[in-house]
Amino acid sequence: MEQILKISNSMKFQKLDSEKKPVGRTEITSVLKEIDIALVPLRKLDIFTGAIPSKIFEALAMSKPLLLGVDGEARELFITQANAGWFFEPENVNDLVAKIEGILGRSPIHSRLR
């Protein structure tokens, strides 16, 4: 989390609030209007390999690319096949930071949207 907060502060993002409650269905549209990329993390558990988080659909409907921390079916469908964003290994903050830095152009890890 510390690395992500450093990136946030250096890029002058809105303050990240790790204590904020999850966004509910009635609020999701207004939140998605304000973002550039939808961060979709899940825990690294076998049960989630077949999971497709429902908020992916709202983000894609609003043409927001995904920063997806969900392995398995969601990764295959939305990152590999649809090329709708980037994948980071669930619960791997170093991989998440590397992807964010690549997206921001700080690192040459992405030659295309993936």
Side-chain angles (χ1 to χ4, degrees), residues 20-35 55 58-59 62 64:
K20 192 168 184 163
K21 294 180 182 177
V23 175
R25 286 232 176 263
T26 58
E27 304 168 84
I28 193 69
T29 302
S30 61
V31 171
L32 287 171
K33 287 179 183 177
E34 301 296 320
I35 66 169
K55 290 181 181 156
E58 287 93 343
M62 295 183 72
K64 303 295 182 178

Side-chain angles (χ1 to χ4, degrees), residues 19-89:
E19 301 300 317
K20 192 168 184 163
K21 294 180 182 177
V23 175
R25 286 232 176 263
T26 58
E27 304 168 84
I28 193 69
T29 302
S30 61
V31 171
L32 287 171
K33 287 179 183 177
E34 301 296 320
I35 66 169
D36 295 313
I37 296 171
L39 176 62
V40 183
L42 284 182
R43 303 276 319 230
K44 189 175 185 174
L45 299 172
D46 288 341
I47 194 167
F48 291 138
T49 59
I52 298 177
S54 60
K55 290 181 181 156
I56 285 177
F57 300 107
E58 287 93 343
L60 294 177
M62 295 183 72
S63 301
K64 303 295 182 178
L66 305 173
L67 184 49
L68 185 68
V70 183
D71 210 348
E73 189 172 358
R75 177 184 183 183
E76 177 63 27
L77 291 172
F78 300 106
I79 305 304
T80 304
Q81 292 180 21
N83 203 27
W86 301 266
F87 169 78
F88 70 94
E89 181 184 353

